[in-house]
Amino acid sequence: MKQWQIIKTILYTLAGIAVLIFHDSIMDFVGYIVGAVIVAYSVDVLIVSVIKKTYIGENLFLFGGLIHLFIGIIIFIVSDDLVKICLVWAVWSIIREGKELSESIHRLASKKPSLINAIESVVIIYMSFSMILEPNSHHAHLHVVLLGIELILEVAFPIANRLIDGFIEKRNARKEDKSQDEEELLSA
């Protein structure tokens, strides 16, 4: 799993940077780019499903990956119609960010930092609703830029969460060791 995370981090980061650099040029074939990103995302979910052997259950990785794949195929089918691209893309973003918002709220409820991730999800959901209300080239272009940022954050947030969780575990272990030492001193 660790090797897949490294590969994913490199690919998502490079894709995000490329989207940010070439955002104007991407607009000419936005349906194909967005469709490719959604299909790549679905393949990622399916690979994780196979690696973790979580085909069914609470997280539904297999079926979630298949649904994302289906949405990516729809984007390819409607790739000549910007309005349809915007509508399908916005729905996909809302579905994906809803899951991420749920994970962020779970982390916050567990007293783990995740506020920035939660805020990012809320902003993307709001922007997706605005793209549904006004599916035009302006919103599509704005979402292309957001897509570049999201691709980078897709791998940055989990890395930050692992680092923060490790720091918290070490801090709690030090506190526990210190309290045990104090108890030993008091009992002596």
Side-chain angles (χ1 to χ4, degrees):
M1 185 71 177
K2 195 171 194 171
Q3 290 173 338
W4 175 244
Q5 289 296 341
I6 293 168
I7 292 168
K8 178 180 172 179
T9 300
I10 292 167
L11 291 176
Y12 276 54
T13 303
L14 290 175
I17 291 168
V19 168
L20 289 172
I21 291 171
F22 300 111
H23 63 90
D24 285 329
S25 303
I26 287 172
M27 290 307 297
D28 293 336
F29 42 95
V30 69
Y32 296 109
I33 296 295
V34 173
V37 167
I38 294 172
V39 168
Y41 182 84
S42 71
V43 169
D44 173 30
V45 171
L46 291 169
I47 288 171
V48 170
S49 175
V50 170
I51 291 171
K52 289 185 172 183
K53 297 181 178 159
T54 53
Y55 309 114
I56 58 172
E58 186 177 321
N59 290 320
L60 303 173
F61 287 116
L62 178 66
F63 296 110
L66 293 174
I67 289 168
H68 290 290
L69 181 62
F70 181 66
I71 292 171
I73 291 169
I74 291 171
I75 291 276
F76 282 120
I77 292 169
V78 302
S79 63
D80 292 335
D81 187 335
L82 185 64
V83 170
K84 290 178 183 173
I85 292 168
C86 288
L87 295 174
V88 175
W89 186 4
V91 168
W92 176 70
S93 293
I94 291 168
I95 291 168
R96 195 186 73 256
E97 290 300 332
K99 180 183 178 292
E100 289 197 21
L101 182 58
S102 176
E103 291 169 2
S104 295
I105 290 170
H106 181 269
R107 282 186 60 81
L108 290 169
S110 301
K111 307 269 190 245
K112 294 179 180 177
S114 193
L115 186 61
I116 294 172
N117 194 351
I119 291 169
E120 181 259 352
S121 291
V122 169
V123 167
I124 298 301
I125 290 169
Y126 171 78
M127 297 298 290
S128 296
F129 277 121
S130 70
M131 190 160 65
I132 288 171
L133 296 175
E134 293 184 49
N136 55 38
S137 61
H138 169 73
H139 278 108
H141 189 244
L142 179 61
H143 271 265
V144 165
V145 173
L146 289 173
L147 178 63
I149 295 167
E150 284 182 88
L151 285 167
I152 295 167
L153 293 179
E154 180 72 22
V155 292
F157 282 140
I159 291 169
N161 288 343
R162 280 194 299 277
L163 291 172
I164 290 168
D165 292 349
F167 172 77
I168 290 170
E169 285 177 24
K170 286 179 184 178
R171 185 185 66 191
N172 289 343
R174 283 193 302 264
K175 283 182 181 179
E176 190 175 306
D177 289 344
K178 186 177 179 181
S179 67
Q180 286 177 353
D181 291 344
E182 290 173 357
E183 285 179 19
E184 288 174 6
L185 285 174
L186 291 174
S187 64

